[in-house]
Amino acid sequence: RKEVEQDPGPFNVPEGATVAFNCTYSNSASQSFFWYRQDCRKEPKLLMSVYSSGNEDGRFTAQLNRASQYISLLIRDSKLSDSATYLCVVNPGGGFKTIFGAGTRLFVKA
Amino acid sequence: DTAVSQTPKYLVTQMGNDKSIKCEQNLGHDTMYWYKQDSKKFLKIMFSYNNKELIINETVPNRFSPKSPDKAHLNLHINSLELGDSAVYFCASSPSGGYQETQYFGPGTRLLVL
């Protein structure tokens, strides 16, 4: 089992749609969780951290389910500019190693 | 102002050559990283330095040698380049390497080995 697994997609959605991505992780002792966004031929950038209580940033909501070892990202009212690859990122803790998922590709169409 | 910069952005070279990639951050961070993103888009950590000290060294061939002259710079030298080294190499930094910290990435260096 991979340390961090994501559905590669692509997810093709119309503008205004709601889309959700899940990500599973194998290390139950993992300490911190993030979603990064990577545009085509660009570097990854932090979208949001994921907290145990769940957190929201505008149209984006992140949830953590420790019992089932997955995190999710919900995007409401999708915009064309949301088209990107979304990377699930997990840090197992106890050191500095961060593990990136392979990413989920999202295309938002007009 | 560029926070994390890398040079060169593109590198095309022949098998067997030796090349270097440079990285600089002006964020005042203590920790820097090198990642490799292959054609399948997996982003894998290669090395991490904290205050010029190597703290993570993943299973990377010893043809790859990082060097950190000071905490604002982390360079990557690759000897005897192979076809499989073709990838995008990203440098990143974070304040102190803590597990809850955001990592800030450079724009990447696209390496093509012919």
Side-chain angles (χ1 to χ4, degrees):
Chain A
R1 182 181 175 184
K2 290 179 184 169
E3 293 176 286
V4 177
E5 286 199 79
Q6 296 182 249
D7 180 345
F11 285 64
N12 294 291
V13 302
E15 268 188 299
T18 295
V19 62
F21 310 136
N22 281 340
C23 163
T24 58
Y25 59 94
S26 60
N27 186 340
S28 60
S30 293
Q31 300 284 336
S32 57
F33 310 87
F34 309 88
W35 285 102
Y36 277 67
R37 171 191 168 131
Q38 186 173 23
D39 292 312
C40 188
R41 300 183 66 78
K42 298 286 188 181
E43 71 273 20
K45 291 183 180 178
L46 179 71
L47 178 66
M48 58 198 304
S49 300
V50 187
Y51 303 119
S52 296
S53 54
N55 47 302
E56 189 173 311
D57 183 2
R59 299 182 292 109
F60 299 84
T61 301
Q63 299 273 355
L64 167 63
N65 185 318
R66 284 192 182 273
S68 301
Q69 293 179 215
Y70 75 84
I71 67 173
S72 63
L73 178 67
L74 181 77
I75 306 175
R76 291 180 299 277
D77 188 22
S78 299
K79 310 291 184 193
L80 294 175
S81 57
D82 294 335
S83 297
T85 296
Y86 291 84
L87 305 173
C88 172
V89 182
V90 176
N91 191 308
F96 298 88
K97 181 180 173 181
T98 299
I99 302 167
F100 284 73
T104 298
R105 190 77 175 94
L106 171 66
F107 292 100
V108 181
K109 300 178 179 179
Chain B
D1 286 345
T2 303
V4 183
S5 59
Q6 294 180 229
T7 53
K9 287 190 175 178
Y10 300 94
L11 190 49
V12 181
T13 188
Q14 300 286 334
M15 268 177 30
N17 284 350
D18 302 338
K19 291 293 178 185
S20 291
I21 307 172
K22 295 186 177 181
C23 177
E24 177 180 1
Q25 54 94 4
N26 63 6
L27 297 167
H29 290 169
D30 287 344
T31 305
M32 297 184 72
Y33 312 82
W34 276 112
Y35 286 89
K36 177 181 180 181
Q37 188 169 43
D38 60 24
S39 57
K40 294 184 179 178
K41 305 302 182 186
F42 276 104
L43 197 63
K44 290 186 179 177
I45 192 164
M46 302 173 68
F47 303 102
S48 177
Y49 273 72
N50 184 265
N51 264 321
K52 304 191 296 175
E53 297 296 322
L54 180 66
I55 52 171
I56 291 178
N57 184 350
E58 289 295 293
T59 50
V60 176
N62 57 15
R63 299 181 294 104
F64 290 79
S65 52
K67 282 191 174 51
S68 182
D70 56 62
K71 72 176 192 178
H73 296 83
L74 180 60
N75 304 323
L76 183 65
H77 188 76
I78 316 171
N79 288 324
S80 303
L81 277 155
E82 300 178 356
L83 294 177
D85 298 332
S86 295
V88 182
Y89 292 83
F90 286 101
C91 176
S93 72
S94 68
S96 58
Y99 64 85
Q100 293 180 319
E101 292 176 353
T102 300
Q103 294 187 21
Y104 297 84
F105 285 80
T109 294
R110 284 158 180 78
L111 171 65
L112 178 60
V113 182
L114 302 174

